[in-house]
């Protein structure tokens, strides 16, 4: 199809359809990063009347069909699909390692670690990089929604391991301190 004879709107559609998977994925990633940058740059509303000590500043993400959040205190960055190198002999909930700017970081599949049923057909994922004390870890999730401020008094305490509780919007708020203290995360060589 001769591209020069197409009207501008059809040319734009043709260009989008004619992109390789790699180019399409890169374009979508740039759009998502631009959207996230706008979210981070927005002034947080203070209309609620809550102080900083009365709220959780969180990153909301999806695992399967469920929504989760973790406080941003220890999050260093988020990245779309990076090449994960498998390491033999690791527990099932560790997917392997990634190289982030020359640093080798273990990848924890949070869905497997928490025994959450996720769609195994989904081949896209995102990584949340965290650092607490001497531990660096990449947490594998299906999709990162964005940042959200959650008032502490709206979180209903429930008996869920590794969580502070659940919000009215059915977001499970993960207690990262408790999660990172789990001895199963430490792999000891022999």
């Amino acid at each position: 199809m001769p591209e020069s004879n197409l009207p501008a709107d059809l040319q734009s559609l043709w260009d989008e359809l004619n992109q390789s998977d790699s180019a399409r994925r890169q374009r979508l990633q740039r759009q998502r990063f631009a959207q996230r940058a706008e979210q981070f740059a927005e002034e947080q509303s203070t209309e609620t009347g809550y102080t900083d000590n009365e709220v959780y500043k969180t990153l909301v993400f999806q695992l399967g069909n469920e929504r989760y959040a973790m406080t941003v205190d220890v999050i260093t960055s988020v990245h779309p699909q990076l090449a994960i190198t498998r390491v033999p002999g690791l527990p099932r909930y560790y997917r392997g390692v990634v190289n982030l700017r020359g640093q080798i970081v273990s990848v924890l599949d949070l869905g497997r670690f928490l025994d959450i049923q996720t769609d195994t057909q989904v081949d896209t994922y995102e990584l949340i990089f965290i650092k607490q004390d001497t531990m660096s870890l990449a947490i594998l999730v299906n999709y990162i929604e964005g940042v959200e401020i959650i008032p502490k008094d709206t979180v209903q305490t429930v008996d869920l391991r590794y969580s502070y509780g659940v919000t009215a919007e059915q977001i499970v708020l993960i207690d990262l301190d408790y999660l990172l203290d789990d001895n199963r995360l430490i792999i000891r060589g022999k």
Side-chain angles (χ1 to χ4, degrees):
M1 176 183 292
E3 297 175 27
S4 60
N5 296 336
L6 294 175
D9 58 340
L10 289 179
Q11 181 66 44
S12 173
L13 178 60
W14 171 252
D15 291 343
E16 184 172 334
L17 293 174
N18 200 27
Q19 287 181 343
S20 68
D21 287 341
S22 172
R24 186 175 295 113
R25 188 172 23 254
Q26 288 176 354
R27 181 180 51 78
L28 290 173
Q29 287 175 354
R30 282 192 302 272
Q31 288 174 344
R32 294 214 28 228
F33 286 144
Q35 178 187 20
R36 286 187 188 148
E38 287 177 22
Q39 283 181 324
F40 284 120
E42 286 178 4
E43 289 255 349
Q44 296 297 327
S45 174
T46 57
E47 297 172 7
T48 59
Y50 291 102
T51 66
D52 282 347
N53 293 334
E54 297 173 323
V55 296
Y56 295 110
K57 295 176 184 173
T58 66
L59 180 70
V60 179
F61 56 90
Q62 293 178 3
L63 284 174
N65 295 325
E66 298 178 20
R67 297 175 71 206
Y68 292 83
M70 61 179 62
T71 58
V72 297
D73 305 1
V74 296
I75 297 174
T76 59
S77 63
V78 295
H79 291 274
Q81 298 174 316
L82 295 175
I84 298 175
T85 304
R86 298 195 50 77
V87 177
L90 287 179
R92 185 174 173 268
Y93 47 83
Y94 272 113
R95 284 284 184 99
V97 295
V98 292
N99 183 339
L100 181 67
R101 295 185 286 273
Q103 181 183 6
I104 303 301
V105 180
S106 298
V107 177
L108 173 68
D109 185 331
L110 192 58
R112 286 182 182 174
F113 186 77
L114 299 175
D115 291 325
I116 297 168
Q117 297 298 320
T118 59
D119 185 1
T120 56
Q121 301 302 318
V122 176
D123 61 351
T124 60
Y125 56 85
E126 295 182 86
L127 294 168
I128 302 170
F129 287 84
I130 61 173
K131 182 170 177 67
Q132 185 176 39
D133 300 325
T134 60
M135 179 183 274
S136 292
L137 193 63
I139 297 178
L140 182 82
V141 299
N142 294 115
Y143 177 76
I144 297 173
E145 293 181 17
V147 293
E148 191 171 317
I149 291 181
I150 301 174
K152 291 180 179 180
D153 63 2
T154 65
V155 177
Q156 181 181 8
T157 304
V158 291
D159 188 24
L160 289 174
R161 193 171 186 188
Y162 307 116
S163 80
Y164 291 116
V166 179
T167 68
E169 295 82 22
Q170 300 300 308
I171 299 173
V172 177
L173 187 58
I174 294 184
D175 182 347
L176 271 178
D177 291 331
Y178 184 43
L179 178 79
L180 295 176
D181 279 343
D182 191 309
N183 286 333
R184 295 183 298 160
L185 294 181
I186 300 170
I187 307 299
R188 293 172 178 87
K190 294 184 178 187

